[in-house]
Amino acid sequence: MYGQSVFNLRRWRAREWTMTAVAFVVICVVLLTAGRGLASAAAGEVLGVRFGGDGERTRVVVDLERTARGSVIEDGTTGRVTLALAGVASGRGLNGAGSGLVSGYRIAGATGASRVHLDLAKTAEIERRFLLPPGDGVRHYRYVIDLKAKSGAAPAVAAPAPRNAPAPAPRRAAPRNERPLIVIDAGHGGHDPGTRGANATERQVTLPAAQALKAELERLGRYRVVLTRNTDVYVTRPRRVQIAREAGADLFISLHADSSPDPATRGASVYTLSEQGATRAVRQVLREGDWARDMRLPGRDPSVDRILLDMTQRATQNRSAQFARVLLSHLEADDRALLRRSHRDAGFEVLLAPDVPAVLLEMGFMTNADDERALTDERSRRRMMRAVAQSIDRYFTQPETPTMVADARTTARGRP
């Protein structure tokens, strides 16, 4: 039976041998192509690279088909940042010009990984890196690398960009060496008296306090100062924020006085923006195009702009919280009474600017006899504003003060 099989190789002619060889080659090609396709599908590829930020801080976003685990190979000390992304293929081998701190980039393949090479425009370091899963309308993964310029950084010496890479885009000029600008907001005013004490109203103490703080800062000679109002007039809350943003403020401080149904409640407190307020601010920026244009987000598509807005707002919240910590320490050193939970958070409208560090200082309670007496006494008020001015000076002259990340401590509602 077997001897009569059609597969008797002794009876094969050249035609059978040729057809068999062709079939074998075709099968090998199909299997090889399918294997590569499956491997590629399992690993995913690098889809693209995007940039945002400026010459001080730059965010690099690497778009990925699949999740990846990153590891640092070069940290920037050599003029280049290199990371390995395990589990993704290099795809088309992307390369091109960078932006901000990055002069050029290149994606190369490696065993079981891709390597992201970033040539630096000046000496920088990795501030943080993380993986974002699909979400917020984005269907792919994003590996984010935040770069920060080192203080006194000189132009970096890095390997030349690939020949076929386009010329780097011109970078923004370095900011002018100006004195920090402080915007002081005297709460309420005009037809809005604010809280009422036994002998005075809030509007009667906030403007003199703002003018005293302005005088103290100008006496130091290291700051420019702008008041949101110089007379007893009412300024809308959105306009107060607009004044700070239009002026390019480095710090915004809004002065208020509190109230309580319990006349024994007294003490100062400082508010920074809450997470709910931050979400509200994002919606406002996305809704009102003038805010977004003023911020000059350098993203090349809406998803990048949203990431950059989040980064800007988070940095602003952190700086606001840092200043709140410094401010409270100076008020305490000045023997000012403080609330038990003196650092609070809220969604006050005057704190909503996503790109201006801001705090709201409740100087005391108009409904408490001791606080009202201190706030209406010119000498006591001036001494308090001197402590506030000293905290501002420390915040700007000692930037190494540890940063306190904004967190939700005590949330207030309904306060303007």
Side-chain angles (χ1 to χ4, degrees), residues 74-373:
E74 294 180 275
D75 62 2
T77 55
T78 62
R80 172 185 288 161
V81 168
T82 301
L83 289 95
L85 298 179
V88 290
S90 59
R92 303 186 303 274
L94 303 172
N95 62 76
S99 177
L101 290 169
V102 180
S103 61
Y105 74 93
R106 178 169 55 92
I107 308 295
T111 304
S114 292
R115 289 196 176 185
V116 180
H117 300 278
L118 304 174
D119 294 328
L120 301 179
K122 64 180 181 181
T123 308
E125 60 187 349
I126 298 174
E127 187 172 27
R128 62 175 179 168
R129 54 191 177 90
F130 52 91
L131 180 73
L132 289 174
D136 296 328
V138 180
R139 298 182 178 179
H140 54 264
Y141 287 82
R142 292 152 289 170
Y143 195 87
V144 180
I145 309 160
D146 286 339
L147 302 175
K148 179 179 70 173
K150 289 188 175 181
S151 57
V157 180
R163 293 182 180 179
N164 59 341
R171 299 196 307 275
R172 293 168 55 190
R176 292 172 296 172
N177 185 21
E178 293 181 336
R179 294 172 297 162
L181 175 63
I182 316 300
V183 172
I184 306 170
D185 173 45
H188 304 278
H191 63 79
D192 178 12
T195 60
R196 297 180 181 274
N199 303 299
T201 62
E202 186 175 1
R203 76 175 187 184
Q204 292 175 290
V205 300
T206 56
L207 182 58
Q211 292 169 335
L213 178 56
K214 181 176 185 289
E216 290 294 332
L217 289 171
E218 290 178 339
R219 185 178 60 82
L220 293 173
R222 289 190 285 272
Y223 303 96
R224 297 171 292 147
V225 186
V226 171
L227 298 181
T228 58
R229 64 183 183 94
N230 288 290
T231 58
D232 186 21
V233 297
Y234 178 73
V235 180
T236 65
R237 291 185 288 272
R239 178 56 188 159
R240 296 168 194 258
V241 178
Q242 187 179 12
I243 289 171
R245 297 191 72 249
E246 288 177 350
D250 296 291
L251 181 66
F252 177 87
I253 179 168
S254 187
L255 302 178
H256 288 259
D258 217 333
S259 66
S260 172
D262 181 1
T265 302
R266 66 171 306 199
S269 60
V270 178
Y271 287 87
T272 51
L273 187 63
S274 65
E275 289 300 325
Q276 293 84 355
T279 302
R280 176 184 171 193
V282 168
R283 289 198 302 267
Q284 188 163 345
V285 169
L286 296 177
R287 184 176 65 248
E288 300 180 11
D290 55 339
W291 274 44
R293 283 194 300 270
D294 290 345
M295 289 185 67
R296 298 182 178 88
L297 296 174
R300 299 172 183 174
D301 59 54
S303 63
V304 174
D305 279 350
R306 181 60 184 265
I307 292 173
L308 294 172
L309 176 59
D310 174 71
M311 177 178 69
T312 300
Q313 188 175 56
R314 178 57 57 185
T316 300
Q317 285 182 271
N318 289 345
R319 290 197 295 271
S320 300
Q322 178 183 350
F323 173 64
R325 173 184 177 276
V326 175
L327 174 56
L328 286 168
S329 68
H330 277 261
L331 291 176
E332 186 175 21
D334 193 50
D335 292 328
R336 292 286 164 177
L338 300 178
L339 283 178
R340 184 172 62 86
R341 293 180 177 177
S342 52
H343 184 188
R344 304 184 170 209
D345 73 333
F348 299 150
E349 194 164 2
V350 292
L351 302 177
L352 288 185
D355 51 351
V356 179
V359 302
L360 185 148
L361 170 61
E362 295 282 9
M363 299 179 290
F365 283 76
M366 297 298 296
T367 49
N368 176 270
D370 292 330
D371 277 0
E372 182 186 23
R373 189 179 306 110

Side-chain angles (χ1 to χ4, degrees), residues 5-22:
S5 172
V6 294
F7 295 102
N8 190 337
L9 299 181
R10 294 179 181 179
R11 296 183 180 181
W12 277 24
R13 299 177 183 178
R15 180 172 176 272
E16 283 80 4
W17 283 108
T18 302
M19 292 179 64
T20 301
V22 171

